[in-house]
Amino acid sequence: MNTARPPLKTLDSALAELLAQALPLSEVDDLDTFEADGRVLARDLVSELNVPPRDNSAMDGYALRCADVAVAGTTLRVAQRIAAGAVADQALASGEAARIFTGAQLPPGADAVVMQEDCQSLDDGSVRINTVPVPGQNVRRAGEDVRLGATVLPRGTRLNPAALGLAASIGLSRLPVARRPRVALFSTGDELVMPGTVMPAQLPPGAIYNSNRFFLRALLQRLGCMVTDCGIVPDQRDATLNALRQAAEGHDLILSSGGVSVGEEDHVKPAVQSLGSLDLWQVAIKPGKPFAYGKVRAGQGQAHFIGLPGNPVSSYVTFLLLVRPFLLRLQGVPEPAVAPTMVTLPAHFEWARADKRREFLRARRNESGGVDLHPQQGSGVLTSVAWADGLVDNPPERRIAHGDPVRFIAFSEFMV
């Protein structure tokens, strides 16, 4: 019998295979723009107007014709006063200025605005211009922000506060967004105990509190998912099958932590295989080597299945690296945009333990512009994740000396 294990998958190949399965959800929600933060656009947003619609003032001051002010100290008659929102249809005649306020439309004939600090209002109703203006000075041109017919936000954009403001600026009170992914979350293992059910002093030997359930649920919700918390599934075949059947009905993804290591004896693998299909991957990353992807079918329903490793740091890191882009792709975010942005920073630590796998080290930026490393990098040390503000992406077989450049991914990048 050939018991040789298949070679480890690179992270890039594992992600590519996973994203190939993530066909974007077809359903579209029509959502109030106020409620669309974090959602993904299902269609391009095309402007039906110029923004701003007409030339307007960028300052409080005086609108004028540059040809009338050849030298500093020129006096002009103030012929009109224009506030923001007022109609400015009275043309400026030669030798005239208009008192104008920020955002107000320029009157016909005006080609510049001089801010009020460079002007002196005189008792006879005129104004002295103490500087020589140039055409376009302090003027916001019509359409300089958005042109009529322009695509201001493309399909697949994950909306943030600035994007919502931009949508509102072209008059959109409602937005077409991808339906939120429905995710069933459950944990496996008779050793797991929920906080609050047993006091620490009474925790039985071998039992541990279920921390994965808490951070996975929070990470899913931050990605806009609707989460059904299925709790802890007992280590029993019938219970596991029943949980999977129920989860496959009405969910897009079933996410489990624990029980996906090669050779591990549990009921998740045979249960998923009996209801659909399952591939067990060994990904060449540390932490987080064991990973499972499959599909579960029950009744009229079918759901993707992803099994994360049980160790909390491994589960956290593999979620960020593989599950997060999968869920973004389900919502229609284009593949290039699902990757977080990396920056290069100097290492303010030494790392002599080069590994054959690509490592993701828990680290934190410091006031000196470098990166510090948490002293404990074990896959069960959840304090390293809570302490860190990002990950050092260290290539295989690489030792790090103090001062070496390292690739750093801020945790905030995964939350965008």
Side-chain angles (χ1 to χ4, degrees):
M1 178 183 296
N2 183 9
T3 59
R5 293 182 178 179
L8 273 61
K9 287 182 182 289
T10 66
L11 176 61
D12 291 340
S13 64
L15 181 57
E17 287 187 43
L18 197 61
L19 292 180
Q21 299 295 326
L23 299 178
L25 302 171
S26 60
E27 299 91 337
V28 175
D29 291 338
D30 178 59
L31 202 63
D32 189 303
T33 303
F34 275 123
E35 307 301 324
D37 186 32
R39 302 293 290 273
V40 178
L41 278 178
R43 291 191 290 273
D44 293 347
L45 298 189
V46 178
S47 179
E48 297 182 6
L49 77 166
N50 286 319
V51 180
R54 288 184 57 180
D55 292 354
N56 69 81
S57 177
M59 294 280 184
D60 290 348
Y62 292 85
L64 46 77
R65 296 152 43 111
C66 289
D68 291 339
V69 186
V71 296
T74 297
T75 299
L76 302 175
R77 184 176 73 87
V78 180
Q80 53 184 301
R81 182 181 187 276
I82 309 171
V87 177
D89 53 7
Q90 178 184 337
L92 282 183
S94 178
E96 291 183 343
R99 179 71 168 114
I100 198 166
F101 298 89
T102 302
Q105 293 181 4
L106 260 66
D111 58 5
V113 174
V114 177
M115 62 182 181
Q116 60 189 20
E117 291 85 350
D118 291 332
C119 303
Q120 182 182 358
S121 178
L122 303 177
D123 293 339
D124 63 359
S126 61
V127 62
R128 180 177 292 119
I129 309 300
N130 295 322
T131 186
V132 178
V134 296
Q137 179 175 314
N138 297 322
V139 174
R140 298 171 179 151
R141 295 299 185 190
E144 73 172 26
D145 188 5
V146 177
R147 288 284 185 185
L148 171 67
T151 298
V152 297
L153 292 169
R155 175 183 179 180
T157 298
R158 191 160 186 233
L159 296 166
N160 58 26
L164 297 182
L166 183 55
S169 77
I170 62 171
L172 297 177
S173 64
R174 302 191 70 82
L175 299 175
V177 296
R179 173 176 65 75
R180 297 169 64 188
R182 295 187 288 260
V183 181
L185 174 65
F186 67 84
S187 306
T188 62
D190 289 341
E191 76 279 8
L192 297 176
V193 175
M194 282 299 292
T197 59
V198 179
M199 297 302 293
Q202 282 75 49
L203 200 63
I208 57 173
Y209 288 119
N210 187 359
S211 60
N212 294 17
R213 183 171 167 186
F214 286 83
F215 65 69
L216 289 175
R217 179 172 175 171
L219 288 168
L220 288 167
Q221 290 173 331
R222 289 194 177 200
L223 286 169
C225 299
M226 298 177 64
V227 183
T228 301
D229 192 334
C230 301
I232 301 170
V233 177
D235 281 335
Q236 301 169 8
R237 178 176 175 80
D238 289 345
T240 304
L241 284 168
N242 186 52
L244 289 171
R245 287 193 188 98
Q246 291 183 5
E249 297 272 6
H251 291 94
D252 305 297
L253 170 65
I254 302 169
L255 183 64
S256 173
S257 63
V260 296
S261 296
V262 172
E264 187 170 346
E265 294 184 3
D266 76 295
H267 298 290
V268 174
K269 290 182 290 186
V272 172
Q273 289 169 336
S274 69
L275 297 174
S277 61
L278 184 68
D279 290 323
L280 299 176
W281 296 349
Q282 297 287 289
V283 185
I285 58 174
K286 184 180 180 181
K289 182 171 69 172
F291 187 86
Y293 172 77
K295 292 181 179 178
V296 177
R297 303 175 187 88
Q300 300 300 312
Q302 175 176 286
H304 300 279
F305 175 87
I306 290 179
L308 300 176
N311 282 324
V313 179
S314 301
S315 186
Y316 198 98
V317 170
T318 50
F319 182 96
L320 296 181
L321 299 178
L322 292 168
V323 182
R324 172 187 175 272
F326 180 85
L327 287 167
L328 290 178
R329 189 73 193 101
L330 275 187
Q331 296 176 75
V333 176
E335 285 194 27
V338 302
T341 301
M342 293 187 186
V343 296
T344 301
L345 298 172
H348 287 183
F349 62 88
E350 293 186 354
W351 186 251
R353 305 193 298 270
D355 197 274
K356 294 181 180 180
R357 291 176 282 166
R358 184 174 171 183
E359 297 177 286
F360 289 89
L361 308 172
R362 276 72 70 208
R364 183 165 70 183
R365 291 163 292 189
N366 57 40
E367 294 180 353
S368 302
V371 177
D372 296 324
L373 199 67
H374 192 275
Q376 300 293 330
Q377 291 292 320
S379 60
V381 184
L382 194 53
T383 51
S384 68
V385 178
W387 173 89
D389 67 358
L391 300 170
V392 168
D393 180 0
N394 192 39
E397 306 286 2
R398 187 192 183 214
R399 293 180 174 86
I400 302 172
H402 195 283
D404 284 350
V406 294
R407 298 180 298 185
F408 180 81
I409 315 170
F411 281 147
S412 59
E413 282 293 316
F414 293 110
M415 307 306 167
V416 174

